[in-house]
Structures are given as structure tokens and as C-alpha cells.
Amino acid sequence: MQKPAVNEPRIDPEEILEGIRRWVEVETPSHDGVAVNKLNDIVEAEFVALGAKVERVPGRDGFGDVVIARSPWGGDGPGILVLSHLDTVHPHGSIDTPELKWRREGDSVFGPGIYDMKAGAHMAFYAYRHLLRLNEQSQLPITFCFVPEEEVGSPTSRATIERLARNAKHVLVTEPARDGGKIVTSRKGVGRFVIKARGRPAHAGVRHQDGRSAIREIAHQILAVEGMTNYDRGITTNVGLITGGTGVNVVPQECTAEVDLRVPDPTIAEEMCARIGALTARDPDVQLKVEGGMNRPPYTKDAGIAALFDHAKALAAEVGFDLQDVPLTGGGSDGNFTAALGVPTLDGLGADGKGAHTDYEQIYFSSLEPRTRLWVKLFETLK
Ligand SMILES: [Zn+2]
């Protein structure tokens, strides 16, 4: 680890943690736009205090605003886009539960959304402030984008993310690190489909033969869809939700199944969307409707991403740790949108820890300082 000169401002992990706590203690379930905006206000004020130019894209459909903060230097040309989300999967009150109340146990610090991803979002902010404390500017302008509803697929912020990414040379995503500090250079694409069957209702005792069961039809479709999973090709399908029927003594008229699809590359994405879209009813008297498609395109490690990763790896070595990337992960993020536009994207640059989306979500305190140092170096060197 590099030792700073005596009077040089230092990167203080206790100070980073205090800042993370300020952001974690405002609970921000994705669907509560008012709650997310409370945290947006805090984040906006912290950036304004540093002289950043802040813009807010008003939320819609009940979601919070998108907050965009720009460095006052570097002009409007292509720069560094730092992508974070401020929502979490945890409902209100999680911070009052014994599992997720704010606490530090050894190297672990617990809190709702601390690992995914308020710690990472704050580390990037801290690195930016550190640059100012050093009286430095990055060579490229820096734009921060805080998304209010990533955990539900970024339905209202995607257009803003893509607009900002088109004007970026590099995208750095503050999602949590994986498996001992590894970062993410590729992610599977995510597809979502709704399969609806409409049959014919009948009294299950008196007129059974007149009925056409929508549930029976969907049962066949579930097996067909689940049968498309192919681990060797990196394809998974999961029917995660089903609804249907009105009573145990009624041949059901309606049934719906919802499908999650993960694919490793655009060609397979196209193939699988076509296969799922082409499902047909087995019972000719039942109508089948399939809706949906890719929600997040695959994020593949191309030459630009490989070069950006090599650069970050060299910087991490200067800081004193070995940066590795994980093999293709199934979890999607907003990095999928930016990488699919061809903009070199590094993801998973947040804190190390574990338990994203669980009641044991935690970060490792020891990861805060070295990884924030890496952020400072990325800001200093990217051009
Ligand atoms: Zn996340």
C-alpha cells in the first residue's frame, strides 16, 4: 500500500463508512419514488457542495428521479460515466430488523442495500471528492448517474442511461464486487416473457368434458420452456411465477406463466426469443399468447472492455491488490445497456462483501480503502 506524504489528504476508510451510513440509513425500496427522492436530495446536496453541476430527470410511474452530476471541468465532450443505482430490494423497516440493522462485526458491516450498492456508489463519490481535495482534475469530464429503479429493470431510466453512455468514452459501474473482490467484464442478457393461456371454463363435476383447461395447457408450456435450459451453451430458462384458475371445482379458463431467460450473447438471445415466441398451444381449443423479449442485452467482453480491464488491473497492482474479473455472470445490471452500445464498461467496482438481496447483506470494511484508491487512479489516468 502506498503511504501518502505527511500533509497530503488521505483516503480514510472510517470517513468513507460514515458517508455510506448516511446513504444506507435512508431506506430506498425501488417502488417508493418518494423515499428514493429523499436520498436523491442528499446525494444532490453533497455534489452541489463540491461544485458539481446537477441535473434531475423527473421520475415517472411512481419511481424516483434520475440524478446526474457533472464535473465542472472537461466540457461536454465524451468522458467517464459513473453508473450507480440508489434503490434497493429491501422493504421499509429492514434497517430496524436484527439481521439488517446497521452494525459492524469484525470486518463486516451490515445494512439494507449496503453491498448492492450504496457502498460502491459512495466510494466513487468519495474518490471524486478526494480528487478535489488533492486539487486535481481528471483528464476527462466525469458524469455521475444515479438510477432510481435498477432493481426492477430500470424501466424509466434506461433512455437516460443510454443517452449518457452514447456520450461516454468509458463507463464505470459501482455494482458490488464478486467472489473476493473480482470485477465484472461481461454479463448474460436477460429476457422476460409472459405466456397466457385462455381455455374454456366448465363445471368440474357436471360438464367436465366441455371444459378446456388453461392450467393444463400452461403445464405443458412450462415443461417446454424449462426444457430449453442448456448449461453447456450458457442458456437458462426459469418459470418463476404462475397464476391461474378461479376455483378447485372449475375447469380453469385462464392461466399465466412468467419466464426469466438468461443468454450469453446476442446471437443466442435472438435464437431463444424466437423459440419462446413460437410456442403454440398443444390443445387446439386453447388460445396461447406469448409476450416479452430481451430486457437487458448481453454484455460481452470485447477488445475495448479487455483493454479497460487491463488498465484497471495495472492500477490495482500499484495500489497493492490483484484485480481479477469473474467469468460470465448471470446477473444483469445497467452495465448491460452501456456495453451493448459498444462503450467499454467495467462493472463490479463497488465494495467487496456478500449477501446481495438477502437479510445478511454486508460489505467488508477492509475493501473500502484499496478500492476507493483504485477509483481515484481510474479518474486520474483515464483519457
Ligand atoms: Zn445492484
Side-chain angles (χ1 to χ4, degrees):
M1 199 90 30
Q2 248 173 288
K3 286 265 178 291
V6 182
N7 286 321
E8 197 173 299
R10 66 183 207 93
I11 291 175
D12 177 1
E14 296 291 346
E15 189 189 19
I16 300 171
L17 191 62
E18 264 169 47
I20 294 170
R21 183 170 189 165
R22 279 199 304 279
W23 291 13
V24 168
E25 285 186 337
V26 181
E27 291 188 284
T28 50
S30 312
H31 286 287
D32 187 346
V34 174
V36 173
N37 277 342
K38 272 186 200 152
L39 180 55
N40 278 339
D41 291 343
I42 292 171
V43 171
E44 174 174 356
E46 294 196 27
F47 272 99
V48 167
L50 298 179
K53 296 176 282 185
V54 178
E55 175 197 338
R56 273 169 85 145
V57 180
R60 50 190 170 86
D61 305 339
F63 294 113
D65 302 345
V66 179
V67 175
I68 302 164
R70 293 186 168 87
S71 63
W73 63 81
D76 296 328
I80 301 168
L81 175 63
V82 178
L83 204 47
S84 304
H85 64 83
L86 292 178
D87 61 318
T88 82
V89 299
H90 301 284
H92 283 295
S94 301
I95 200 155
D96 302 317
T97 63
E99 292 81 15
L100 279 177
K101 73 166 191 276
W102 179 274
R103 71 193 189 283
R104 208 161 146 179
E105 286 174 8
D107 194 34
S108 290
V109 188
F110 295 80
I114 189 170
Y115 174 57
D116 185 9
M117 56 147 62
K118 288 180 179 175
H122 194 81
M123 285 155 65
F125 165 78
Y126 188 100
Y128 175 75
R129 186 173 60 192
H130 189 71
L131 211 62
L132 295 171
R133 286 173 173 175
L134 292 170
N135 266 317
E136 283 180 22
Q137 292 182 354
S138 50
Q139 302 175 63
L140 294 174
I142 305 175
T143 301
F144 290 82
C145 175
F146 296 91
V147 169
E149 31 58 305
E150 190 273 346
E151 295 293 4
V152 295
S154 309
T156 62
S157 59
R158 178 175 180 170
T160 302
I161 294 166
E162 290 180 335
R163 168 169 67 84
L164 295 172
R166 283 194 190 93
N167 191 38
K169 273 184 95 167
H170 314 279
V171 179
L172 305 176
V173 187
T174 65
E175 289 283 358
R178 305 300 172 90
D179 307 334
K182 295 191 178 110
I183 66 167
V184 176
T185 51
S186 57
R187 289 180 183 273
K188 287 185 182 179
V190 185
R192 289 286 157 82
F193 300 85
V194 179
I195 306 174
K196 281 187 181 149
R198 191 178 166 84
R200 195 189 299 154
H203 189 298
V206 187
R207 303 294 307 175
H208 188 279
Q209 67 279 17
D210 293 348
R212 296 293 181 271
S213 169
I215 288 181
R216 180 188 154 102
E217 178 60 42
I218 286 292
H220 286 297
Q221 301 300 333
I222 290 171
L223 293 178
V225 168
E226 295 260 341
M228 294 176 189
T229 288
N230 183 328
Y231 296 122
D232 292 337
R233 297 181 68 207
I235 303 164
T236 60
T237 50
N238 181 59
V239 177
L241 284 170
I242 49 169
T243 50
T246 52
V248 72
N249 57 351
V250 182
V251 176
Q253 186 178 20
E254 313 265 1
C255 186
T256 301
E258 296 190 38
V259 182
D260 177 290
L261 166 72
R262 308 278 161 149
V263 288
D265 64 54
T267 312
I268 294 181
E270 215 170 289
E271 173 198 326
M272 292 306 296
C273 287
R275 281 178 70 188
I276 295 172
L279 289 168
T280 49
R282 211 168 132 131
D283 180 340
D285 292 335
V286 176
Q287 291 169 0
L288 196 73
K289 205 164 87 185
V290 182
E291 285 176 340
M294 292 305 291
N295 170 264
R296 294 182 194 276
Y299 161 4
T300 38
K301 188 177 179 181
D302 59 16
I305 292 175
L308 183 56
F309 172 69
D310 289 343
H311 178 71
K313 189 176 174 68
L315 296 177
E318 286 174 25
V319 174
F321 68 99
D322 179 32
L323 191 69
Q324 295 178 11
D325 58 346
V326 280
L328 190 63
T329 164
S333 91
D334 288 333
N336 288 60
F337 298 141
T338 63
L341 292 175
V343 188
T345 299
L346 284 191
D347 199 342
L349 286 162
D352 194 7
K354 66 176 177 186
H357 299 195
T358 72
D359 64 358
Y360 59 91
E361 181 164 351
Q362 60 195 271
I363 57 164
Y364 303 143
F365 178 77
S366 55
S367 73
L368 296 180
E369 185 185 350
R371 294 179 81 86
T372 302
R373 208 170 277 285
L374 173 62
W375 273 98
V376 174
K377 284 182 179 287
L378 283 165
F379 287 157
E380 287 174 335
T381 57
L382 285 176
K383 56 185 183 202

